[in-house]
Amino acid sequence: MPQDPMDFEWSYWIEWGRERILWLLAGHLLVSQVSRILVEKYKPWCLMVYGMAACWLLLGIKGFAVILLHAAISFAVAQFQLSLLTWLCSLILLSTLRIPAVEETKRKWYDTENEYYLLLFTVSVRCLFCTSFSLEYCWHAPTQKSSHSFPWMLAYVFYYPTFHNGPLVNFDEFSKQMRRQEAFSVKTNLSILIVGIIRIFFWWCLAELMIHLMYIHALYSSSLPLESASYWALGGLALAQVLFFYVKYLVLYGVPGLLLRMDGLKPPALPCCVSLMHSFTEMWRSFDVGLHRFLVRYIYVPMGGSQSSLLGTLLSTALTFAFVSYWHGGQSYLWYWGALNWLGVIVENGTKRIFSISLIQDLI
């Protein structure tokens, strides 16, 4: 039975996974386990070299140079230790991905559109990693700068399991866990690997069944069936789409998450099932946990967050969703999506504040 071809993201990553990425991830696993056994102290540098080699192999010398240049520029700007300047640099680097002349030049480096998109997705995710490192550099005392050197930035930026599509791990978490030397057990790691592969295989089979049997995205691509469907049917289609999105990211984040555990790191929690969620706030906290931690640590809290006035909270939340919309591409529909999510979070938090008033509680 033919599959629904309309979900670009699933088809794209599965194709790349089968061709090269899964093999490169297997290579990372081998290098990681051997280095943990033989040279635990130098494991970050072994993985850094492997990640740089894998980047060169997949994206070519020019793609590798772009990512290295982004890292070098971010590190240079971080030397001023000004968070605002660091953010300005990050936004400028991110904006270069949308300059038509630059896009056209990068397209000429590759034979296919898929190769260009791989560079685009990778650089987008690397921008977040560069931002995380640079802000941590700005916030740490001079005595701690040795743990925030340029080699450590490269080890973080070129860490291969999270290289192309995440999940996002903040630099402070990455460096602490990568430096920590724990007792290594081949038997324990083997059991983690086997159980993890079985779970991911189950999720992949479920996603493939949904793609081959449900045709959710094909229905959404045509207005005729949507116009003739009842409201109940439209609600069912919407639920089916978000459930597939959930299962898809169990696979896309499950594979790198398993490798993080094999490396002795703690990955962000996998997405929580959307059927268990009933609020915008919980959705943002529990679906992409790595992105949520990034947004809270580097945007929401520095801007005042929930500890500031009502206006400050509104501004902090608005800036957070504005960045999310811009990072995802900045198209008009993404701004609408961000604005609706912002409105949902504000209404929920406002309702909680109202119901926390003692007089209201007494009435209830």
Side-chain angles (χ1 to χ4, degrees):
M1 184 178 292
Q3 73 173 41
D4 181 351
M6 300 307 294
D7 188 84
F8 169 78
E9 189 176 34
W10 177 256
S11 304
Y12 182 85
W13 289 117
I14 291 298
E15 182 181 343
W16 268 109
R18 287 170 178 164
E19 287 184 1
R20 294 187 186 179
I21 290 178
L22 278 181
W23 298 105
L24 290 172
L25 289 173
H28 169 93
L29 178 62
L30 179 62
V31 171
S32 170
Q33 301 310 294
V34 170
S35 63
R36 289 189 76 181
I37 295 171
L38 301 179
V39 286
E40 175 75 16
K41 184 179 179 180
Y42 300 103
K43 182 183 72 172
W45 317 123
C46 295
L47 298 181
M48 178 192 75
V49 171
Y50 181 84
M52 295 173 85
C55 172
W56 193 318
L57 178 66
L58 271 189
L59 301 176
I61 180 63
K62 293 178 180 178
F64 171 79
V66 167
I67 294 172
L68 190 61
L69 180 63
H70 275 230
I73 292 171
S74 297
F75 185 78
V77 172
Q79 303 307 301
F80 293 97
Q81 294 187 267
L82 297 172
S83 299
L84 185 60
L85 189 61
T86 292
W87 265 116
L88 183 61
C89 172
S90 299
L91 292 173
I92 290 172
L93 289 175
L94 197 57
S95 68
T96 61
L97 302 179
R98 294 165 192 128
I99 299 173
V102 176
E103 286 183 331
E104 195 58 36
T105 300
K106 290 177 181 176
R107 274 190 168 90
K108 292 176 182 177
W109 296 348
Y110 301 105
D111 297 327
T112 65
E113 280 286 292
N114 275 0
E115 291 174 295
Y116 164 70
Y117 281 127
L118 185 63
L119 174 65
L120 182 64
F121 297 147
T122 303
V123 174
S124 296
V125 176
R126 292 307 94 199
C127 279
L128 297 185
F129 279 68
C130 289
T131 303
S132 175
F133 176 90
S134 298
L135 289 172
E136 295 293 342
Y137 186 96
C138 292
W139 295 346
H140 282 77
T143 54
Q144 298 173 297
K145 292 307 181 200
S146 61
S147 60
H148 293 72
S149 61
F150 189 60
W152 266 107
M153 184 183 196
L154 294 182
Y156 175 58
V157 169
F158 285 98
Y159 181 68
Y160 195 68
T162 62
F163 191 66
H164 298 294
N165 195 42
L168 185 57
V169 180
N170 292 340
F171 178 73
D172 61 320
E173 300 170 10
F174 175 84
S175 61
K176 287 175 187 175
Q177 294 175 34
M178 189 63 81
R179 291 168 192 279
R180 186 179 60 216
Q181 296 187 12
E182 298 177 333
F184 177 71
S185 170
V186 175
K187 184 178 179 181
T188 302
N189 259 24
L190 187 60
S191 64
I192 291 173
L193 180 64
I194 292 171
V195 171
I197 289 174
I198 291 171
R199 291 176 69 192
I200 292 166
F201 181 72
F202 171 75
W203 296 329
W204 174 78
C205 289
L206 182 58
E208 284 292 319
L209 278 173
M210 295 175 80
I211 279 285
H212 281 82
L213 298 177
M214 298 179 71
Y215 295 92
I216 313 158
H217 303 90
L219 288 170
Y220 270 112
S221 65
S222 175
S223 61
L224 187 60
L226 296 180
E227 289 171 355
S228 59
S230 66
Y231 289 128
W232 281 106
L234 291 174
L237 281 171
L239 179 60
Q241 187 178 44
V242 294
L243 285 172
F244 175 76
F245 191 75
Y246 158 66
V247 175
K248 173 170 66 176
Y249 269 86
L250 287 179
V251 178
L252 297 182
Y253 280 175
V255 173
L258 175 59
L259 290 176
L260 281 160
R261 294 182 65 197
M262 295 294 291
D263 290 346
L265 309 180
K266 184 180 179 181
L270 289 174
C272 184
C273 181
V274 292
S275 295
L276 302 177
M277 298 179 193
H278 59 276
S279 73
F280 285 95
T281 307
E282 192 62 29
M283 178 70 179
W284 279 97
R285 285 177 180 166
S286 306
F287 194 85
D288 192 335
V289 175
L291 180 60
H292 174 260
R293 289 174 181 170
F294 176 94
L295 296 172
V296 169
R297 182 169 177 80
Y298 302 121
I299 303 177
Y300 186 70
V301 171
M303 290 303 299
S306 59
Q307 303 304 312
S308 62
S309 63
L310 177 60
L311 186 60
T313 303
L314 291 172
L315 179 62
S316 302
T317 313
L319 287 174
T320 302
F321 281 109
F323 176 75
V324 171
S325 301
Y326 184 70
W327 178 70
H328 275 88
Q331 291 88 351
S332 58
Y333 71 89
L334 288 169
W335 292 111
Y336 296 139
W337 167 73
L340 288 171
N341 276 275
W342 172 76
L343 184 61
V345 169
I346 291 302
V347 169
E348 285 176 359
N349 289 333
T351 304
K352 286 180 183 177
R353 288 194 179 191
I354 292 172
F355 278 91
S356 66
I357 298 171
S358 57
L359 178 62
I360 302 296
Q361 289 180 346
D362 293 340
L363 287 173
I364 293 173

